[in-house]
Amino acid sequence: MNSLNPYGAWTLFLRETRRFLKVHMQTVVAPALTALLYVLIFRYAMGSRTVPGLGVDYLTFLIPGLVMMAMLQNAFANTSSSIIVGKVMNVHIYLLMAPLSAMEIILALVASAVVRAFIVAAAILAALWAFVDIPLSSISLVMLYGLCGSMLMAGLGIIAGIWAEKFDDIALISNFVIMPLTFLSGVFYSVAQLPPFWQQVNRYNPFFYLIDGFRHGFVGVGDTDPYASIDLVAGATGLCMLACWLLWRMGWRMKP
Amino acid sequence: MNEAALQVLGLRKVYANGKTALAGVDLQVAQGAFHALLGPNGAGKSTLINILADTVRPTSGLAKMLGRDVFRERSWCKRHLGVVPQEVAFDPFFSPVEILRITSGLFGCRPDESWIRELLERLGLAEHAYKNTRQLSGGMRRRLLVAQALVHRPALVVLDEPTAGVDVELRRSLWSFMRELNRSGTTILLTTHYLEEAEQLCDHVTIIDGGQVVADRSMRELMEVVAGRYLFLGYGDAFELSEADARALSAFRPRVMSGGVCLHLGGQGGEDLGFHRVYEAAVSRLGIPRKVEIRQEDLEDVFIRLTGHARKEKSTS
Ligand SMILES: Nc1ncnc2c1ncn2[C@@H]1O[C@H](COP(=O)(O)OP(=O)(O)O)[C@@H](O)[C@H]1O
Ligand SMILES: [Mg+2]
């Protein structure tokens, strides 16, 4: 039997968390500032228009989407950069050498990424509080979608990190997969405003459900039924975790 | 009977590019041993060590640590194993003392501050404990690597070229530290470029070449049985051995050394070729030498004879 090593997993969690806190200007403050700029720009650009179909003030609609987008991107960045930095600098071997199971490693990496996502979310909301009223319809929806979304992205970050061989590979995935998918999943507009074809396409975009469900938790309305999409979102998250665990156990692209 | 600290059976490794790094290696390291694993560059030493460390996947074969299957009971075995990898690299985010605390934690041990302080002091890193690792010299970084492997107090320590790039004085202090650690019961498996040091420190030697074991004996046995005597004939600096001469003297395994040639006189246990027979054969081909010496092979000579590779330039003194 392989013995459990909860203290080791806890140490790894703390190591990952301290790593992003050490560069908090870049990992926490910068995302909050970016969100603040978006809100300021859109306030001037859009005035106090409401979103057609939902009857919500545009800024109130926009903010939860921005928060979720930042959570997703930061969760992805945390795990993917940790693994790729490790591989490029050849320090990933210390993780491989430690008596930690694949499960413990994945859990610790994901937990730290989730913590980063929530810290970033809190920072953005704190920065915006002063400018806009932010309603809160269901804290449990917010937490559930926030958790699922950041876990899913942390998992995708792990897979990307395992697959990548250099920093450029991660930048490639970030810029050409993650960014477009999050931008196009209804952060800036209601999907109901889209032509029917693109509405249909969005049905297959997992980020769409994540952002819509998360926003639902704040504003109380949305394009989908967030309680019905929970299964889908939780299922996708579970599958992603499973994939991470299997890949790590195999040592794919980590161990020659 | 005592369980071996490490037992490797038929270990093979074929890398993805088709390169066979280990072609069925057997190795046994007794508990409490100071065991040298030697071999020319590319012999497969690091591959063997990395497979034990779980950073390289084995192709086939078996490894046991203290009777436990290394590949099946990874966690247990890893907790009792400390590895100093050949390549030096550190997480740029953390200072030496943080690295030691984190490593200790990853191995499931609450950081033992007094042991960490002792390691830093014994390895001459105490003043650098809070620096960025990028500010450390090559030698210091290598010693930090050693400290990192010892922080969870493993029963078996495997060191892959721990003294590469470390200057003589620090090398000595590192060796005395390792010797002390060994005396207090830690089993040590070591690869090194410094064969004289291996000869002094280690009680057992395994030499591998091309992924196969070519010698595996206690150091005493190796030096008494395998190490033979050879005849050194000095002909001056301009000496060169022609191909015809090399062929004619091939029974004595001629080897050119600066200013002359070495001819094997046979092992102490094996067939003794006899001084006169060798000498006369040499003189009939090469003429009367200016200098004649009978020498005892040291580990370096044995190594070269068994692997056909010079480990480093050796000067005749
Ligand atoms: N990741 C790898 N992929 C392919 N071949 C490798 C890899 N690592 C090592 N090798 C090859 O395996 C052989 C053994 O290497 P290594 O174990 O590093 O030898 P040593 O440590 O004894 O110098 C060498 O021929 C080396 O080129
Ligand atoms: Mg090597």
Side-chain angles (χ1 to χ4, degrees):
Chain A
M1 257 307 288
N2 276 342
S3 40
L4 293 177
N5 183 4
Y7 189 73
W10 172 244
T11 305
L12 178 57
F13 166 77
L14 288 182
R15 185 189 91 177
E16 293 302 298
T17 305
R18 278 167 60 204
R19 190 203 303 276
F20 77 74
L21 287 178
K22 277 198 178 186
V23 284
H24 57 269
M25 283 308 275
Q26 175 194 334
T27 55
V28 178
V29 177
L33 187 67
T34 309
L36 188 63
L37 289 175
Y38 270 123
V39 168
L40 291 178
I41 289 164
F42 278 100
R43 181 148 82 165
Y44 287 108
M46 310 288 281
S48 54
R49 237 178 281 178
T50 55
V51 182
L54 296 179
V56 186
D57 175 60
Y58 183 73
L59 278 189
T60 312
F61 174 89
L62 175 69
I63 288 167
L66 285 178
V67 172
M68 187 56 154
M69 190 167 79
M71 288 180 86
L72 299 178
Q73 285 168 357
N74 276 277
F76 180 85
N78 210 54
T79 49
S80 60
S81 72
S82 170
I83 295 176
I84 194 62
V85 167
K87 279 197 338 192
V88 168
M89 303 198 66
N90 200 40
V91 297
H92 67 305
I93 59 168
Y94 301 119
L95 203 48
L96 300 177
M97 279 162 45
L100 286 161
S101 63
M103 175 92 77
E104 286 162 336
I105 289 173
I106 301 302
L107 277 179
L109 295 180
V110 169
S112 173
V114 168
V115 167
R116 169 156 159 195
F118 275 87
I119 290 178
V120 167
I124 296 174
L125 288 171
L128 296 181
W129 219 267
F131 299 89
V132 211
D133 265 347
I134 304 168
L136 183 60
S137 153
S138 161
I139 182 96
S140 49
L141 264 188
V142 168
M143 296 309 270
L144 198 61
Y145 271 88
L147 184 68
C148 272
S150 44
M151 280 178 77
L152 178 68
M153 289 308 279
L156 292 179
I158 289 175
I159 295 170
I162 290 176
W163 167 80
E165 273 165 357
K166 45 192 194 308
F167 293 111
D168 289 355
D169 296 338
I170 294 290
L172 203 74
I173 300 185
S174 277
N175 294 330
F176 291 96
V177 183
I178 305 299
M179 282 288 268
L181 277 178
T182 46
F183 263 90
L184 299 178
S185 31
V187 173
F188 299 99
Y189 49 82
S190 162
V191 175
Q193 296 165 267
L194 290 179
F197 172 75
W198 289 107
Q199 282 191 34
Q200 210 49 44
V201 167
N202 239 333
R203 299 267 150 210
Y204 299 97
N205 177 357
F207 299 108
F208 162 63
Y209 295 95
L210 285 170
I211 287 174
D212 198 63
F214 185 74
R215 179 158 49 218
H216 211 295
F218 283 95
V219 301
V221 288
D223 295 318
T224 60
D225 175 358
Y227 296 98
S229 319
I230 284 273
D231 292 355
L232 189 98
V233 168
T237 307
L239 275 180
C240 183
M241 295 290 102
L242 186 69
C244 290
W245 177 68
L246 286 173
L247 288 178
W248 194 282
R249 260 174 62 109
M250 280 167 53
W252 181 65
R253 284 189 174 240
M254 296 291 280
K255 297 182 203 171
Chain B
M1 204 198 88
N2 241 356
E3 210 78 73
L6 176 69
Q7 193 176 20
V8 170
L9 283 173
L11 193 63
R12 282 171 42 77
K13 174 63 190 178
V14 182
Y15 282 105
N17 62 5
K19 169 81 200 172
T20 301
L22 297 175
V25 167
D26 295 343
L27 173 70
Q28 181 146 339
V29 180
Q31 271 186 57
F34 206 131
H35 194 123
L37 175 65
L38 307 176
N41 277 331
K45 306 177 297 293
S46 296
T47 300
L48 175 73
I49 290 171
N50 293 341
I51 287 174
L52 296 174
D54 198 17
T55 59
V56 167
R57 284 177 283 181
T59 301
S60 63
L62 204 71
K64 284 184 166 189
M65 251 186 77
L66 298 161
R68 306 243 195 166
D69 188 323
V70 172
F71 305 141
R72 294 227 181 109
E73 297 181 74
R74 274 290 186 196
S75 290
W76 189 91
C77 291
K78 283 174 172 182
R79 280 172 202 256
H80 295 84
L81 173 68
V83 176
V84 178
Q86 184 174 357
E87 305 235 331
V88 191
F90 296 105
D91 197 319
F93 281 88
F94 302 111
S95 67
V97 71
E98 283 176 307
I99 285 174
L100 296 181
R101 286 187 190 132
I102 290 169
T103 306
S104 173
L106 292 179
F107 277 82
C109 319
R110 252 159 238 290
D112 175 347
E113 294 298 335
S114 70
W115 175 235
I116 288 177
R117 209 169 322 115
E118 186 183 338
L119 281 174
L120 287 169
E121 265 160 32
R122 292 297 314 261
L123 291 163
L125 293 165
E127 306 136 65
H128 312 289
Y130 296 95
K131 286 189 182 162
N132 188 306
T133 52
R134 271 178 287 207
Q135 291 168 264
L136 303 186
S137 70
M140 287 185 225
R141 287 160 64 83
R142 190 149 317 251
R143 280 176 282 138
L144 178 56
L145 215 56
V146 175
Q148 200 179 1
L150 297 177
V151 78
H152 59 292
R153 297 177 182 272
L156 170 62
V157 178
V158 181
L159 303 107
D160 197 350
E161 317 254 1
T163 47
V166 177
D167 66 49
V168 184
E169 206 159 309
L170 289 168
R171 223 158 69 211
R172 263 188 218 127
S173 76
L174 187 62
W175 290 137
S176 82
F177 182 52
M178 296 313 296
R179 205 197 287 261
E180 220 173 281
L181 202 70
N182 178 243
R183 290 214 178 106
S184 66
T186 306
T187 308
I188 295 174
L189 176 64
L190 169 79
T191 78
T192 178
H193 268 285
Y194 300 97
L195 294 179
E196 326 84 75
E197 285 167 347
E199 192 174 337
Q200 286 166 27
L201 282 165
C202 299
D203 44 42
H204 201 104
V205 198
T206 304
I207 301 179
I208 63 173
D209 189 20
Q212 281 176 313
V213 175
V214 295
D216 179 39
R217 289 179 185 260
S218 75
M219 186 66 80
R220 225 193 72 219
E221 230 185 357
L222 190 77
M223 299 322 294
E224 285 178 2
V225 179
V226 179
R229 290 169 304 138
Y230 61 87
L231 187 62
F232 174 76
L233 303 176
Y235 287 99
D237 286 338
F239 176 76
E240 270 178 49
L241 190 67
S242 72
E243 243 177 75
D245 289 339
R247 222 171 306 116
L249 296 171
S250 66
F252 316 120
R253 289 179 245 155
R255 181 155 60 85
V256 177
M257 226 186 232
S258 58
V261 62
C262 295
L263 298 166
H264 196 63
L265 285 172
Q268 286 169 342
E271 183 206 6
D272 207 320
L273 296 172
F275 169 79
H276 287 289
R277 201 180 129 210
V278 178
Y279 182 75
E280 270 153 32
V283 169
S284 74
R285 298 285 320 185
L286 308 171
I288 308 275
R290 294 185 211 162
K291 188 175 168 191
V292 180
E293 271 176 33
I294 293 179
R295 293 180 186 169
Q296 181 69 31
E297 282 187 319
D298 63 9
L299 183 58
E300 183 96 34
D301 301 315
V302 173
F303 180 90
I304 292 169
R305 180 152 60 79
L306 292 178
T307 66
H309 295 269
R311 212 40 224 249
K312 59 184 173 67
E313 289 309 315
K314 206 189 168 197
S315 55
T316 39
S317 44

